[in-house]
Amino acid sequence: MPALPRAFGDLRMLALNARDKAYAPYSNFQVGAAVLTRDGRQFSGCNVENAAYGLCNCAERTALFSAMAAGCRPGDFVALAVIADTPEPVSPCGACRQVMAELCDGEMPVLLGSLGGATRQTSVAALLPGSFKLP
Ligand SMILES: [Zn+2]
């Protein structure tokens, strides 16, 4: 696994660039995310909103789903970064936490960031203890 600080720096930049592509005409809340795979590939995502609000997709899920569409499988991921214009490091929603819990190892580091530079490192398991899993 690459050294986390460097990997997170790259991921943060990728997430920041992805944020510029957000389609958020309703909330005006742009979010970017990026994931790193075990084999060194990076996938980014932005939030994509819809007039039917329930169809909106978050940046974290866009990044993970893009990686899955490119052939990645659960457990292939080693780090995820997400960034938004928030006073504190942005906090992923419950849906994204559940998707991370399904596709990523519990100990996988997650970097939460803000445009102002605030960051907080956490993990998938810390973000969603007791996640839903089929028996
Ligand atoms: Zn979300």
Side-chain angles (χ1 to χ4, degrees):
M1 190 162 104
L4 275 184
R6 175 172 179 166
F8 267 154
D10 291 348
L11 278 185
R12 186 183 183 282
M13 189 56 64
L14 195 61
L16 193 60
N17 290 336
R19 182 182 168 276
D20 291 337
K21 300 179 179 68
Y23 175 70
Y26 306 105
S27 71
N28 288 313
F29 185 68
Q30 299 175 304
V31 186
V35 291
L36 176 66
T37 65
R38 291 190 195 285
D39 61 6
R41 288 181 293 164
Q42 297 174 325
F43 296 89
S44 63
C46 60
N47 54 326
V48 180
E49 295 184 347
N50 191 279
Y53 291 168
L55 303 180
C56 297
N57 201 67
C58 301
E60 302 94 308
R61 281 179 286 145
T62 302
L64 284 166
F65 294 165
S66 294
M68 294 296 282
C72 292
R73 298 290 88 187
D76 283 351
F77 308 105
V78 294
L80 183 148
V82 56
I83 191 164
D85 188 8
T86 46
E88 301 296 322
V90 67
S91 184
C93 78
C96 289
R97 292 173 191 226
Q98 177 64 33
V99 168
M100 285 185 226
E102 171 102 11
L103 301 180
C104 309
D105 296 336
E107 65 274 15
M108 189 187 92
V110 179
L111 182 74
L112 313 177
S114 74
L115 289 190
T119 59
R120 182 167 80 86
Q121 184 177 324
T122 182
S123 70
V124 170
L127 284 171
L128 188 62
S131 66
F132 174 75
K133 290 182 173 52
L134 284 174

